[in-house]
Amino acid sequence: MITALAWSIPALPLAGALVNGLGGLFGFTWLRRVSHFVAVGASGLAFAGALMLFLRLSAGAPPITLTLYQWIFGAGLHVHVGLLIDQLTAIMLMVITGVGSLIHLYSVGYMHDDPGYPRFFTYLNLFMFSMLVLVMADNYLLFFVGWEGVGLCSYLLIAFWYEKTSAAQAGTKAFVVNRIGDAGFLLGVFFIFTSFGSLDYATVLPRAGELTTAAATAITLLLLVGAVGKSAQLPLYTWLPDAMEGPTPVSALIHAATMVTAGVYMVVRNHALYAMAPFSMETVAVIGGVTAIFAASIGLVQYDIKRVLAYSTVSQLGYMFMAAGLGAYAAAIFHLMTHAFFKALLFLAAGSVIHALGGEQDIRKMGGLWSKIPVTAWTFLIGTIAIAGIPPLAGFWSKDEILNAALSGGHPILWLLGLTAACMTAFYMFRLFFLTFKGPSRLTHEAEHHLHESPLVMTGPLMALAVLSVIGGALAGYPSEAGWIHHFLAPVVGAHAEEEAAGGSALFGVAASIIVALLGLTIAWVMYLLRPGLAEAGLARFTQAHRLLLNKYWVDELYDLLVVNPTKALGRVWDWFDATVIDGAVNGVGRGTGRCAALSTWIETHIIYGSLNLTGYANHIMARLLRLVQSGLVHHYAAIFLVGLFLLANLLWWLNHADPGGDGLVVWNQAASFINSLRRGGGS
Amino acid sequence: MGAWLTLVIFLPAAGAIGLWAVRRPEAVKAAALAITLAELLLSLPLWGSFDRTTATMQFVAEAPWISRFDIFYRVGVDGISLPLILLTTLLMPVCVICSWRAIDRRVKEFMISLLLMETAMIGVFSALDFVLFYVFWEAMLIPMYLIIGVWGGPNRLYAAIKFFLYTLAGSLLLLIALIALYFEGGRTFDLMKLMEASYSAPFQFWVFWAFFLAFAIKVPMFPFHTWLPDAHVEAPTAGSVVLASVLLKMGAYGFLRFCLPMTPHASQLAMPFIAALSITAILYGAYMALAQDDLKKLIAYSSVSHMGFVTLGIFVFNVQGVEGALLQMINHGVTTGALFLCVGLLYERTHSRMIGDYGGVARPMPVFAACLVIFALSSLGLPGTNSFVGEFLVLVGAFRISPWVAALSALGIILAAVYLLWMVQRVVWGATRPAVERLPDLSWREAVTLAPLVGLVFWIGVYPEPLLAVMHHSVEQVVAQVGRESLPDGAHLLVRWIAGGGAGPGVVPGVVP
């Protein structure tokens, strides 16, 4: 019963994807009217199933393991398709199916007029399936199936509006950049296999202590390469901002709430391995901290509402990595959860704005929407407060815990990085809010005309997520480091090592977090509401810095210069090499043979025929016949070859039967003994 | 069941003879389809009654042919040849159907060539006598030569002659190796006996290199690959499919059937060299594919890259690697064959193979687009599709020899994503070009050719166990055969040094059997 429930959680979205996908390919027109029932129903049922498992686990039931069938096997390699649902998986399940279902529902309104409606739900359900496989897998290889599966769905959904070249390009870019990470991850998996002879978590993780530091470091760094790609961390983050080409619900589900957090999940899942490799832990923390501030700084100056949120996501993921690298695994998952609430909320609210304005995404052409679309505005404000880290909303609790882990864990520089990034976060989010909803309206006439609040099917999910963004943090994470989520996750990640750190320094940290958040808010308020001219003046003063940020540090251009263009150029160089050198040699051999043939023909006609001519006309005819045979046409040769083969076979057969058992084959035996003598001469 | 196997081998040839009597082109096509379908049905009992618990040859049939020299008609299959035979019988009906409209002149001759080809290919995979093997091996050459040279594109003669001469050169070395083995292996052409005999190291060395050239040209391995793009570009669709799906497997099959069991010592000695060539092929083929504007050339070079994984897997001499290589041979047959079918479908509509002439095909042809994307994803080794399982096993095997070999090969899977998705982006996505706006989507006939291949892509990807179970014991036997002669210490050290030595730092030793 419980096992059937477990496997039906991923199976339901898969079935939904198959129904919508096949129906769409067969061109069923009725599908348009039912595809949302199928998709939303599948994800809703998956949520119900996840909820039941979650309640079971929180009531103290043991983790569920389940083997479906043997997938790949051979000489010591046994990989099953099997599921593992422990506390960590349960939280991920709740986030994925819960937030996922809300976004499915929202999409019914958002994508309503799109011609690719059933296709959209196909991909969305397929994504749910892959993501569920990722978090429910009980071994590294099945995990990898989900890992690349979500990458595929991300690719398909970014390129959903495939007729836009920029969307198609962004899709390819996302997949390829992820592939770079995945190749590293796969090498890590091989390393795990050669070290443990197994790919099951249940075998590998308890034996992590047997690894030497060097091996553990190699494994964990290789796995980290994959996580850096999937979770858009430095240096492989560049695909995520471009991924905003996809429909907004996709940005909310895949590129904010779930898929991009897979890297964090992976690190936490493998914390036993990371624990053996201090250097890898440091690397994770530093990558996270630097990414947090790097992406936040780019977010300060962007004008596209979705791109600001995209850089914000990269930055927030940096916090989660920092937490994981510091060993604060519960804090990382806690922030993953609250971030899923408020970032999904912000994206969906942004989508509601875009929807209301008929597709406008430039915040310079917004403003004054506060009273026009009140539900969207209110929920967006709640999301903004939550992400800015202002208590008592969700983001405050989880972010503060991460900063506290840095401070009390003896990493003041990381703490400062995080604190600065927190200030920037508050600034760019309130900048976004003020420019979009407050101040004078800068709408185009067309957009003004189009303006309307979204239907209930869209605002409903917004309100649900807003409630979660308000109470989700305090409910799950209070009191700090000893809240519900910490106790719930303790069987998987263990209790946080530095609990005694609470006290004086913690209070100082909390005060600092609140102050920087309010500071960011105030600066944004002054610059964009109180004194609108100040922003312009600031830009004029810091032109160089502004251009640097506006162009995102020219990282994309740098990668084009260093990686993309050389790769393409190398392809062309090898193409030339292949045609000129290798094939040139082949054709050269061909021509050389032709010249030799010409030479021998000349010898034959001038010298041999010349002497043969003396013997008369009959011989001449013979020669002409021979020349016919040597036509230089391969199919003639082929025919002669066939005839010869046939004659030879018959001859052998005839000899064989004409002289049974005898030794009459003088020529053959002579050849044999000749070869034998050669062999004896040279062999020994 | 031995007679059954003989029936499977010769039914297409018998059908080809019968086809002479048929006059109308439509009837010829229908008859050819019926013969290939009957052949497919006939081959299925082999799969069903194959004993999966042993490595010995099954369905063996034996009859004296030229008994004076111990030349026998001797056939049989094991877990290495059976999947390849089934791949062949599965693809031939597909080839007949995809030629339905593409071949409009000398239809009868074309179908006869295809059928003779089928007999020769199945013959190669089931021959257990070296002379019989050689006869089938050479016999494959002629129909393929005709298919390219008669029904091919504008530059078909050049391509056909290049293909013929190149492979003939390899065959001659195979003939020399055949004669040498006859004398050294106790005057027999029985492959099983030749595998059991042991040969001196210098003898193995020379025979190995003769084998190597013959098979490397067929695979084709870098740098003997330049006949392949020309042959593919000029060949009609069915020719490309047969070439990519089955003919390219002959070389790899030869390595497995001859080099590893008969010249284990020389094979081990050559391992670093062949691993290097394989990695070169993987990366070089990928870069070449990246630079192509011609769809068929792109897929041809991707074949070079993918076959690099196969040769790499064979020459790591462990069960994972060899099993992965064998599975990858099947996968490549399915996926690359399907990609050539897809290109053929486009070519039939627009008479262009140039990527630049397409764009936005997804809108007029959504079902076709879905198929092309699925095969491209399979080709780049997405988990859940067939190629992932094969590439994973090959890479695991390679990693056990040397992490660096695996790391370099893994670059190939990144590049595969680049060239395939870039192709998809330029052909399938983007604004729909006026030239492709009115293209019809798949007809039923076309859908029928692609559907079984889509099924195989996911079946092997999700549940490969039935296939692996068939291969398993035979693969273990080959690995045991190559492992029975160990290299002298000095040479062994050299191999390990070149290959990168061991399985990396800090590994818990001896866990993996």
Side-chain angles (χ1 to χ4, degrees):
Chain A
M1 168 56 203
I2 200 72
T3 53
L5 183 67
W7 66 254
S8 67
I9 292 175
L12 281 163
L14 178 64
L18 283 175
V19 169
N20 275 331
L22 290 176
L25 281 186
F26 285 119
F28 296 144
T29 43
W30 48 263
L31 194 72
R32 243 194 114 72
R33 293 192 301 276
V34 299
S35 57
H36 47 269
F37 290 117
V38 174
V40 178
S43 71
L45 283 173
F47 174 66
L51 188 65
M52 284 166 73
L53 292 184
F54 175 76
L55 291 176
R56 254 180 75 92
L57 278 170
S58 35
I64 300 156
T65 55
L66 164 66
T67 302
L68 290 175
Y69 63 89
Q70 195 169 35
W71 181 28
I72 302 174
F73 70 98
L77 174 70
H78 291 274
V79 185
H80 292 88
V81 173
L83 306 180
L84 162 72
I85 299 137
D86 61 1
Q87 288 81 356
L88 176 59
T89 302
I91 289 190
M92 295 301 291
L93 284 183
M94 290 305 288
V95 170
I96 295 161
T97 57
V99 176
S101 295
L102 289 173
I103 293 172
H104 271 72
L105 200 60
Y106 176 94
S107 306
V108 175
Y110 191 85
M111 299 300 289
H112 192 260
D113 298 325
D114 198 279
Y117 193 63
R119 187 163 58 91
F120 182 78
F121 280 115
T122 307
Y123 294 164
L124 221 52
N125 265 354
L126 193 63
F127 169 77
M128 285 272 274
F129 164 72
S130 307
M131 192 71 203
L132 290 168
V133 168
L134 190 157
V135 296
M136 294 174 90
D138 75 343
N139 64 70
Y140 288 95
L141 209 60
L142 189 61
F143 171 89
F144 191 69
V145 173
W147 183 264
E148 283 231 312
V150 291
L152 165 72
C153 297
S154 163
Y155 162 76
L156 291 171
L157 282 163
I158 293 168
F160 181 75
W161 287 313
Y162 56 80
E163 299 196 21
K164 268 167 74 185
T165 309
S166 57
Q169 275 171 350
T172 308
K173 179 174 173 182
F175 196 95
V176 169
V177 173
N178 269 295
R179 242 314 149 100
I180 297 171
D182 294 354
F185 183 88
L186 206 52
L187 289 175
V189 170
F190 298 149
F191 220 132
I192 289 172
F193 175 68
T194 49
S195 303
F196 296 100
S198 171
L199 289 174
D200 292 337
Y201 295 154
T203 314
V204 172
L205 294 175
R207 286 176 57 199
E210 295 170 25
L211 287 175
T212 62
T213 309
T217 306
I219 289 173
T220 47
L221 286 181
L222 285 168
L223 296 183
L224 179 63
V225 175
V228 161
K230 191 64 70 191
S231 292
Q233 298 293 292
L234 278 171
L236 296 180
Y237 71 95
T238 54
W239 65 271
L240 186 62
D242 287 13
M244 297 301 129
E245 290 286 346
T248 308
V250 170
S251 313
L253 178 61
I254 299 184
H255 305 119
T258 56
M259 183 190 87
V260 287
T261 63
V264 182
Y265 166 80
M266 193 279 294
V267 174
V268 175
R269 172 60 74 197
N270 290 296
H271 69 89
L273 295 174
Y274 279 90
M276 298 301 298
F279 176 75
S280 302
M281 293 281 279
E282 293 284 331
T283 312
V284 174
V286 169
I287 285 179
V290 173
T291 306
I293 193 163
F294 178 83
S297 70
I298 298 176
L300 295 175
V301 298
Q302 300 300 313
Y303 289 113
D304 183 310
I305 186 168
K306 286 181 73 181
R307 285 199 177 238
V308 175
L309 293 177
Y311 281 106
S312 159
T313 304
V314 175
S315 166
Q316 296 294 316
L317 289 164
Y319 279 107
M320 297 175 213
F321 269 76
M322 193 161 107
L326 292 168
Y329 304 112
I333 295 297
F334 184 24
H335 196 58
L336 186 160
M337 186 180 83
T338 58
H339 176 258
F341 298 152
F342 57 68
K343 190 52 69 62
L345 170 62
L346 286 167
F347 264 114
L348 293 187
S352 182
V353 170
I354 296 166
H355 193 70
L357 300 181
E360 184 57 63
Q361 296 190 195
D362 191 336
I363 51 177
R364 284 169 296 193
K365 293 177 188 160
M366 296 181 186
L369 297 175
W370 178 253
S371 55
K372 308 276 177 44
I373 44 173
V375 181
T376 305
W378 268 106
T379 50
F380 196 97
L381 177 62
I382 289 170
T384 305
I385 299 173
I387 193 177
I390 295 171
L393 273 69
F396 164 75
W397 302 99
S398 51
K399 194 190 283 178
D400 181 59
E401 204 168 304
I402 294 170
L403 292 177
N404 189 31
L407 187 61
S408 60
H411 294 85
I413 296 176
L414 282 178
W415 178 73
L416 267 178
L417 284 178
L419 203 65
T420 318
C423 183
M424 289 179 175
T425 308
F427 171 79
Y428 67 67
M429 282 310 302
F430 277 101
R431 166 181 176 267
L432 186 62
F433 175 76
F434 292 141
L435 283 176
T436 308
F437 293 101
K438 304 301 264 182
S441 169
R442 298 177 297 278
L443 266 59
T444 59
H445 183 68
E446 194 185 342
E448 192 98 52
H449 183 70
H450 190 271
L451 191 59
H452 66 281
E453 178 62 286
S454 300
L456 183 65
V457 71
M458 287 167 70
T459 51
L462 287 182
M463 290 185 277
L465 286 168
V467 170
L468 287 170
S469 301
V470 174
I471 61 170
L475 218 56
Y478 181 81
S480 187
E481 288 171 30
W484 169 83
I485 194 167
H486 307 93
H487 293 300
F488 186 65
L489 282 176
V492 184
V493 300
H496 188 16
E498 289 135 28
E499 290 213 51
E500 75 279 9
S505 72
L507 205 62
F508 166 69
V510 170
S513 318
I514 297 175
I515 288 169
V516 294
L518 294 175
L519 183 68
L521 188 164
T522 315
I523 299 173
W525 179 63
V526 171
M527 276 177 74
Y528 292 99
L529 279 189
L530 198 63
R531 297 264 187 82
L534 216 57
E536 306 297 321
L539 291 191
R541 179 111 192 247
F542 301 104
T543 331
Q544 292 302 328
H546 180 248
R547 199 189 300 159
L548 182 71
L549 293 179
L550 198 63
N551 289 294
K552 304 159 284 186
Y553 298 98
W554 283 284
V555 173
D556 271 311
E557 286 76 5
L558 190 72
Y559 285 178
D560 277 349
L561 190 73
L562 293 181
V563 182
V564 181
N565 295 340
T567 303
K568 288 183 180 171
L570 202 56
R572 283 191 294 273
V573 169
W574 288 129
D575 194 34
W576 173 85
F577 175 78
D578 203 63
T580 321
V581 180
I582 298 186
D583 214 24
V586 174
N587 287 334
V589 171
R591 267 196 301 277
T593 313
R595 295 228 173 88
C596 289
L599 183 67
S600 62
T601 311
W602 185 87
I603 292 172
E604 197 160 280
T605 44
H606 289 83
I607 298 172
I608 301 181
Y609 288 1
S611 55
L612 281 181
N613 274 342
L614 296 173
T615 64
Y617 189 64
N619 278 345
H620 191 65
I621 289 182
M622 195 62 208
R624 287 176 76 124
L625 279 176
L626 276 173
R627 201 159 49 175
L628 272 182
V629 171
Q630 294 189 352
S631 59
L633 293 172
V634 176
H635 51 268
H636 288 178
Y637 290 147
I640 292 165
F641 172 72
L642 253 191
V643 171
L645 203 65
F646 179 74
L647 288 179
L648 190 68
N650 274 298
L651 180 70
L652 290 174
W653 185 85
W654 177 78
L655 285 172
N656 188 34
H657 285 259
D659 187 16
D663 208 3
L665 284 175
V666 183
V667 178
W668 182 270
N669 278 339
Q670 275 178 346
S673 58
F674 173 68
I675 294 175
N676 266 332
S677 69
L678 276 182
R679 200 159 49 78
R680 258 179 254 114
S684 59
Chain B
M1 284 302 277
W4 193 268
L5 181 60
T6 303
L7 189 62
V8 170
I9 296 171
F10 288 105
L11 176 80
I17 294 167
L19 222 51
W20 279 116
V22 185
R23 281 176 172 268
R24 281 196 7 259
E26 290 307 310
V28 167
K29 290 175 196 168
L33 181 60
I35 294 163
T36 51
L37 283 175
E39 170 77 357
L40 174 61
L41 288 178
L42 214 56
S43 65
L44 290 180
L46 295 180
W47 175 261
S49 52
F50 184 81
D51 182 359
R52 286 147 173 82
T53 58
T54 173
T56 51
M57 287 292 166
Q58 302 182 33
F59 317 125
V60 177
E62 207 175 54
W65 182 16
I66 306 161
S67 45
R68 165 156 213 94
F69 304 109
D70 252 348
I71 298 175
F72 278 75
Y73 169 78
R74 189 187 283 120
V75 292
V77 295
D78 65 353
I80 293 172
S81 47
L82 180 63
L84 292 165
I85 290 173
L86 286 164
L87 177 73
T88 311
T89 59
L90 177 82
L91 280 165
M92 291 314 284
V94 171
C95 288
V96 171
I97 300 175
C98 81
S99 311
W100 213 263
R101 271 172 48 205
I103 302 298
D104 48 9
R105 60 197 174 85
R106 293 179 180 274
V107 177
K108 188 199 288 185
E109 287 80 354
F110 182 81
M111 293 299 171
I112 287 171
S113 301
L114 273 185
L115 290 171
L116 289 177
M117 192 79 193
E118 183 168 16
T119 284
M121 292 186 300
I122 298 175
V124 167
F125 289 134
S126 40
L128 296 181
D129 183 281
F130 211 150
V131 175
L132 185 66
F133 175 88
Y134 190 75
V135 169
F136 281 129
W137 179 271
E138 291 296 291
M140 285 188 310
L141 210 52
I142 296 156
M144 195 64 216
Y145 167 74
L146 293 175
I147 287 173
I148 298 173
V150 177
W151 291 275
N155 202 14
R156 57 181 180 265
L157 278 181
Y158 170 76
I161 290 172
K162 195 169 175 180
F163 164 76
F164 192 95
L165 290 181
Y166 222 134
T167 33
L168 193 67
S171 305
L172 286 176
L173 290 165
L174 187 64
L175 183 64
I176 293 167
L178 181 157
I179 294 170
L181 275 167
Y182 172 80
F183 288 112
E184 191 74 16
R187 299 216 172 196
T188 176
F189 289 113
D190 184 344
L191 288 183
M192 293 298 112
K193 286 189 188 142
L194 290 175
M195 283 180 200
E196 280 157 20
S198 63
Y199 310 94
S200 70
F203 178 80
Q204 284 193 27
F205 180 83
W206 292 110
V207 168
F208 176 85
W209 289 110
F211 277 147
F212 170 79
L213 269 175
F215 299 143
I217 288 170
K218 277 274 184 187
V219 167
M221 291 177 77
F222 177 89
F224 308 110
H225 63 275
T226 55
W227 63 268
L228 184 72
D230 286 320
H232 269 311
V233 165
E234 300 304 328
T237 304
S240 287
V241 173
V242 174
L243 192 58
S245 299
V246 188
L247 279 196
L248 298 196
K249 309 302 166 315
M250 298 298 172
Y253 178 76
F255 281 127
L256 279 174
R257 194 54 101 212
F258 296 94
C259 289
L260 266 57
M262 293 179 195
T263 60
H265 187 275
S267 300
Q268 291 182 45
L269 206 60
M271 184 267 260
F273 174 72
I274 293 188
L277 274 190
S278 302
I279 294 169
T280 309
I282 291 171
L283 298 180
Y284 184 85
Y287 274 114
M288 290 300 296
L290 198 56
Q292 301 309 314
D293 299 317
D294 180 320
L295 280 166
K296 270 194 158 180
K297 271 198 174 176
L298 189 151
I299 300 167
Y301 279 110
S302 86
S303 286
V304 174
S305 183
H306 285 110
M307 291 309 286
F309 278 100
V310 173
T311 48
L312 178 67
I314 292 173
F315 277 85
V316 299
F317 309 136
N318 53 43
V319 173
Q320 282 97 12
V322 175
E323 206 160 281
L326 189 50
L327 189 62
Q328 202 53 10
M329 283 156 73
I330 305 294
N331 292 337
H332 179 265
V334 172
T335 303
T336 307
L339 284 172
F340 276 119
L341 283 176
C342 287
V343 176
L345 297 178
L346 281 181
Y347 185 79
E348 264 185 57
R349 284 165 171 73
T350 62
H351 294 280
S352 169
R353 290 184 315 261
M354 291 298 146
I355 294 175
D357 290 340
Y358 295 97
V361 168
R363 199 161 60 81
M365 305 173 68
V367 181
F368 167 80
C371 291
L372 182 61
V373 170
I374 286 172
F375 294 127
L377 292 171
S378 156
S379 186
L380 64 82
L382 188 83
T385 66
N386 52 353
S387 306
F388 173 70
V389 183
E391 278 175 12
F392 170 75
L393 285 169
V394 168
L395 287 173
V396 167
F399 194 92
R400 287 180 57 190
I401 299 298
S402 153
W404 298 111
V405 171
L408 284 170
S409 314
L411 284 180
I413 65 171
I414 299 175
L415 289 170
V418 177
Y419 65 74
L420 283 161
L421 290 186
W422 196 31
M423 182 271 284
V424 167
Q425 182 189 318
R426 287 178 293 168
V427 173
V428 177
W429 313 137
T432 308
R433 288 173 64 97
V436 302
E437 211 158 45
R438 291 176 188 285
L439 294 186
D441 206 347
L442 296 189
S443 66
W444 275 105
R445 178 178 63 79
E446 292 163 338
V448 163
T449 57
L450 292 180
L453 301 175
V454 171
L456 274 180
V457 162
F458 290 114
W459 174 54
I460 301 177
V462 173
Y463 188 54
E465 176 160 328
L467 206 51
L468 293 175
V470 164
M471 298 169 176
H472 196 67
H473 288 280
S474 300
V475 167
E476 274 185 342
Q477 193 189 32
V478 169
V479 172
Q481 280 168 331
V482 75
R484 76 195 149 150
E485 286 179 18
S486 56
L487 292 180
D489 274 351
H492 206 76
L493 276 179
L494 181 75
V495 170
R496 289 180 71 81
W497 178 74
I498 294 172
V507 169
V508 181
V511 184
V512 183

